[in-house]
Amino acid sequence: KDSYPVQRANQFTTGRIYKKNSWLLDLDIYYKTISGITSFTVDFQNQYDLNIHKGQGFTKGVDVLVQKSAPGWRAWATYTFQDSQNKFDEVNDHEYFQVNSNTKHALTVSFYKKFKNYNFALGWFWHTGKPYSSINDLGEIISYNSETLPDYHRLDLSGFYQFKDKNEWLYKIGFSVYNLYNRHEIISKELERKFTEIGDFISPQYAVQDYYSLGITPNIFFRVSF
């Protein structure tokens, strides 16, 4: 029980929904604490670290949705603030550090239009960069997720046309364009273990690998439903 504690969580949530005519406002605020988190090695120390690292964490955030609806079209925007952090025994001086997927601010603005049998959608996405760990010239971790990547954003466009034949078969032909303005941005930094010397098996050494977003990516499709 001491080595493998039961994971427990407490969450406090409040919110408000306001709707008038064609407008909708949805607000949610939450705070969650987690205890009994365990992690087995995951290179926190080295590959011969056989300890079960026990820890705890928290997540706090705000979600906001604003939507406007009208005959034939709809527009909405969402905003999210989220801060998720964990801490483990004997790791990072027992101080909290961000989880790998933590993006503190995210904004989405979308628009949808329907005209007869034509449908179009446009969406713009933005969020702050994910955290990453930094290393020194010797390839040793000197901080856990204390650095942050640049902001990321992109614009997507899609549309389709649908119709039925005399047999009531539904045909749909359309397209989508991911990252319309062809923005290339780093979206992740991953630490990879290096094994160039015998000592690397005992004292882990790391190299940073960068991953980038896709550029402009067009797609077309044709679908038949019967």
Side-chain angles (χ1 to χ4, degrees), residues 157-159 174-178 216-221:
L157 173 67
S158 64
F175 72 96
S176 66
V177 183
Y178 176 90
I216 184 170
T217 308
N219 294 277
I220 59 173
F221 68 88

Side-chain angles (χ1 to χ4, degrees), residues 25 60 73 82 88 90 111 122 128 140 147 171 183 197 222:
L25 172 63
K60 56 184 178 181
W73 65 273
Q82 180 176 289
F88 294 90
E90 302 176 2
F111 178 78
L122 187 69
T128 51
E140 301 167 334
E147 306 294 333
Y171 298 85
R183 176 181 171 85
E197 300 177 359
F222 178 71

Side-chain angles (χ1 to χ4, degrees), residues 27-67:
L27 171 66
D28 293 295
I29 303 173
Y30 55 89
Y31 181 77
K32 181 179 181 179
T33 59
I34 307 172
S35 61
I37 300 175
T38 57
S39 180
F40 183 66
T41 68
V42 296
D43 288 336
F44 277 152
Q45 306 294 334
N46 57 63
Q47 70 179 56
Y48 297 109
D49 173 21
L50 301 180
N51 295 320
I52 301 296
H53 296 283
K54 293 174 290 185
Q56 59 193 65
F58 69 84
T59 297
K60 56 184 178 181
V62 177
D63 293 326
V64 182
L65 165 66
V66 179
Q67 179 176 287

